[in-house]
PDB file of all heavy atoms in Angstrom:
ATOM      1  N   ALA A 128       0.164   7.702 -10.747  1.00  0.00           N
ATOM      2  CA  ALA A 128       1.479   7.053 -10.842  1.00  0.00           C
ATOM      3  C   ALA A 128       2.476   7.882 -10.053  1.00  0.00           C
ATOM      4  O   ALA A 128       2.325   9.144  -9.950  1.00  0.00           O
ATOM      5  CB  ALA A 128       1.967   7.049 -12.343  1.00  0.00           C
ATOM      6  N   PRO A 129       3.442   7.265  -9.326  1.00  0.00           N
ATOM      7  CA  PRO A 129       3.701   5.789  -9.334  1.00  0.00           C
ATOM      8  C   PRO A 129       2.712   5.100  -8.339  1.00  0.00           C
ATOM      9  O   PRO A 129       2.286   5.759  -7.425  1.00  0.00           O
ATOM     10  CB  PRO A 129       5.122   5.734  -8.775  1.00  0.00           C
ATOM     11  CG  PRO A 129       5.333   6.931  -8.008  1.00  0.00           C
ATOM     12  CD  PRO A 129       4.462   8.001  -8.589  1.00  0.00           C
ATOM     13  N   TYR A 130       2.337   3.924  -8.693  1.00  0.00           N
ATOM     14  CA  TYR A 130       1.379   3.190  -7.877  1.00  0.00           C
ATOM     15  C   TYR A 130       1.742   1.653  -7.766  1.00  0.00           C
ATOM     16  O   TYR A 130       2.487   1.193  -8.579  1.00  0.00           O
ATOM     17  CB  TYR A 130      -0.030   3.377  -8.398  1.00  0.00           C
ATOM     18  CG  TYR A 130      -0.227   2.830  -9.790  1.00  0.00           C
ATOM     19  CD1 TYR A 130      -0.546   1.475 -10.061  1.00  0.00           C
ATOM     20  CD2 TYR A 130      -0.050   3.702 -10.895  1.00  0.00           C
ATOM     21  CE1 TYR A 130      -0.699   1.028 -11.403  1.00  0.00           C
ATOM     22  CE2 TYR A 130      -0.187   3.279 -12.249  1.00  0.00           C
ATOM     23  CZ  TYR A 130      -0.497   1.908 -12.443  1.00  0.00           C
ATOM     24  OH  TYR A 130      -0.615   1.478 -13.673  1.00  0.00           O
ATOM     25  N   PHE A 131       1.192   1.009  -6.796  1.00  0.00           N
ATOM     26  CA  PHE A 131       1.384  -0.388  -6.512  1.00  0.00           C
ATOM     27  C   PHE A 131       0.780  -1.178  -7.783  1.00  0.00           C
ATOM     28  O   PHE A 131      -0.431  -1.020  -8.008  1.00  0.00           O
ATOM     29  CB  PHE A 131       0.571  -0.747  -5.240  1.00  0.00           C
ATOM     30  CG  PHE A 131       0.624  -2.105  -4.792  1.00  0.00           C
ATOM     31  CD1 PHE A 131       1.839  -2.809  -4.528  1.00  0.00           C
ATOM     32  CD2 PHE A 131      -0.542  -2.797  -4.434  1.00  0.00           C
ATOM     33  CE1 PHE A 131       1.797  -4.105  -4.073  1.00  0.00           C
ATOM     34  CE2 PHE A 131      -0.569  -4.078  -3.964  1.00  0.00           C
ATOM     35  CZ  PHE A 131       0.635  -4.808  -3.755  1.00  0.00           C
ATOM     36  N   LEU A 132       1.668  -1.835  -8.517  1.00  0.00           N
ATOM     37  CA  LEU A 132       1.247  -2.252  -9.848  1.00  0.00           C
ATOM     38  C   LEU A 132       0.079  -3.284  -9.763  1.00  0.00           C
ATOM     39  O   LEU A 132      -0.622  -3.480 -10.783  1.00  0.00           O
ATOM     40  CB  LEU A 132       2.391  -2.736 -10.678  1.00  0.00           C
ATOM     41  CG  LEU A 132       2.345  -2.450 -12.131  1.00  0.00           C
ATOM     42  CD1 LEU A 132       2.299  -0.904 -12.417  1.00  0.00           C
ATOM     43  CD2 LEU A 132       3.511  -3.061 -12.858  1.00  0.00           C
ATOM     44  N   GLU A 133      -0.089  -4.003  -8.684  1.00  0.00           N
ATOM     45  CA  GLU A 133      -1.175  -4.945  -8.526  1.00  0.00           C
ATOM     46  C   GLU A 133      -2.564  -4.262  -8.827  1.00  0.00           C
ATOM     47  O   GLU A 133      -3.482  -4.989  -9.165  1.00  0.00           O
ATOM     48  CB  GLU A 133      -1.194  -5.606  -7.175  1.00  0.00           C
ATOM     49  CG  GLU A 133       0.100  -6.271  -6.769  1.00  0.00           C
ATOM     50  CD  GLU A 133       0.326  -7.724  -7.439  1.00  0.00           C
ATOM     51  OE1 GLU A 133       0.961  -7.698  -8.572  1.00  0.00           O
ATOM     52  OE2 GLU A 133       0.016  -8.692  -6.804  1.00  0.00           O
ATOM     53  N   TYR A 134      -2.606  -2.958  -8.672  1.00  0.00           N
ATOM     54  CA  TYR A 134      -3.886  -2.343  -8.859  1.00  0.00           C
ATOM     55  C   TYR A 134      -4.442  -2.619 -10.227  1.00  0.00           C
ATOM     56  O   TYR A 134      -5.643  -2.749 -10.460  1.00  0.00           O
ATOM     57  CB  TYR A 134      -3.738  -0.742  -8.785  1.00  0.00           C
ATOM     58  CG  TYR A 134      -3.493  -0.198  -7.430  1.00  0.00           C
ATOM     59  CD1 TYR A 134      -3.080   1.119  -7.252  1.00  0.00           C
ATOM     60  CD2 TYR A 134      -3.768  -0.898  -6.267  1.00  0.00           C
ATOM     61  CE1 TYR A 134      -2.825   1.687  -6.055  1.00  0.00           C
ATOM     62  CE2 TYR A 134      -3.589  -0.348  -5.032  1.00  0.00           C
ATOM     63  CZ  TYR A 134      -3.101   0.973  -4.880  1.00  0.00           C
ATOM     64  OH  TYR A 134      -2.907   1.510  -3.688  1.00  0.00           O
ATOM     65  N   ARG A 135      -3.481  -2.704 -11.217  1.00  0.00           N
ATOM     66  CA  ARG A 135      -4.025  -2.953 -12.649  1.00  0.00           C
ATOM     67  C   ARG A 135      -4.657  -4.291 -12.718  1.00  0.00           C
ATOM     68  O   ARG A 135      -5.674  -4.426 -13.298  1.00  0.00           O
ATOM     69  CB  ARG A 135      -2.732  -2.839 -13.556  1.00  0.00           C
ATOM     70  CG  ARG A 135      -3.069  -3.010 -14.973  1.00  0.00           C
ATOM     71  CD  ARG A 135      -1.868  -2.499 -15.885  1.00  0.00           C
ATOM     72  NE  ARG A 135      -1.652  -1.102 -15.868  1.00  0.00           N
ATOM     73  CZ  ARG A 135      -2.416  -0.235 -16.515  1.00  0.00           C
ATOM     74  NH1 ARG A 135      -3.418  -0.640 -17.272  1.00  0.00           N
ATOM     75  NH2 ARG A 135      -2.208   1.112 -16.432  1.00  0.00           N
ATOM     76  N   ALA A 136      -4.079  -5.295 -12.070  1.00  0.00           N
ATOM     77  CA  ALA A 136      -4.624  -6.626 -12.013  1.00  0.00           C
ATOM     78  C   ALA A 136      -5.959  -6.598 -11.284  1.00  0.00           C
ATOM     79  O   ALA A 136      -6.963  -7.272 -11.806  1.00  0.00           O
ATOM     80  CB  ALA A 136      -3.674  -7.622 -11.405  1.00  0.00           C
ATOM     81  N   TYR A 137      -6.017  -6.006 -10.164  1.00  0.00           N
ATOM     82  CA  TYR A 137      -7.241  -6.029  -9.323  1.00  0.00           C
ATOM     83  C   TYR A 137      -8.412  -5.431 -10.156  1.00  0.00           C
ATOM     84  O   TYR A 137      -9.509  -5.982 -10.116  1.00  0.00           O
ATOM     85  CB  TYR A 137      -7.100  -5.235  -8.023  1.00  0.00           C
ATOM     86  CG  TYR A 137      -6.035  -5.749  -7.112  1.00  0.00           C
ATOM     87  CD1 TYR A 137      -5.464  -4.966  -6.040  1.00  0.00           C
ATOM     88  CD2 TYR A 137      -5.471  -7.003  -7.250  1.00  0.00           C
ATOM     89  CE1 TYR A 137      -4.573  -5.327  -5.233  1.00  0.00           C
ATOM     90  CE2 TYR A 137      -4.526  -7.411  -6.335  1.00  0.00           C
ATOM     91  CZ  TYR A 137      -3.996  -6.623  -5.324  1.00  0.00           C
ATOM     92  OH  TYR A 137      -2.968  -6.987  -4.456  1.00  0.00           O
ATOM     93  N   VAL A 138      -8.169  -4.323 -10.776  1.00  0.00           N
ATOM     94  CA  VAL A 138      -9.245  -3.606 -11.587  1.00  0.00           C
ATOM     95  C   VAL A 138      -9.589  -4.549 -12.858  1.00  0.00           C
ATOM     96  O   VAL A 138     -10.717  -4.691 -13.115  1.00  0.00           O
ATOM     97  CB  VAL A 138      -8.679  -2.236 -12.100  1.00  0.00           C
ATOM     98  CG1 VAL A 138      -9.697  -1.653 -13.106  1.00  0.00           C
ATOM     99  CG2 VAL A 138      -8.589  -1.259 -10.872  1.00  0.00           C
ATOM    100  N   GLY A 139      -8.543  -5.087 -13.411  1.00  0.00           N
ATOM    101  CA  GLY A 139      -8.719  -5.966 -14.652  1.00  0.00           C
ATOM    102  C   GLY A 139      -9.549  -7.186 -14.238  1.00  0.00           C
ATOM    103  O   GLY A 139     -10.255  -7.867 -15.059  1.00  0.00           O
ATOM    104  N   ASN A 140      -9.395  -7.652 -12.952  1.00  0.00           N
ATOM    105  CA  ASN A 140     -10.163  -8.901 -12.551  1.00  0.00           C
ATOM    106  C   ASN A 140     -11.589  -8.758 -12.783  1.00  0.00           C
ATOM    107  O   ASN A 140     -12.308  -9.735 -13.016  1.00  0.00           O
ATOM    108  CB  ASN A 140      -9.949  -9.103 -11.040  1.00  0.00           C
ATOM    109  CG  ASN A 140      -8.554  -9.714 -10.706  1.00  0.00           C
ATOM    110  OD1 ASN A 140      -7.899 -10.241 -11.571  1.00  0.00           O
ATOM    111  ND2 ASN A 140      -8.180  -9.742  -9.464  1.00  0.00           N
TER     112      ASN A 140
END
Side-chain angles (χ1 to χ4, degrees):
Y130 59 88
F131 181 55
L132 216 62
E133 304 283 86
Y134 288 166
R135 186 165 287 285
Y137 301 161
V138 169
N140 283 345

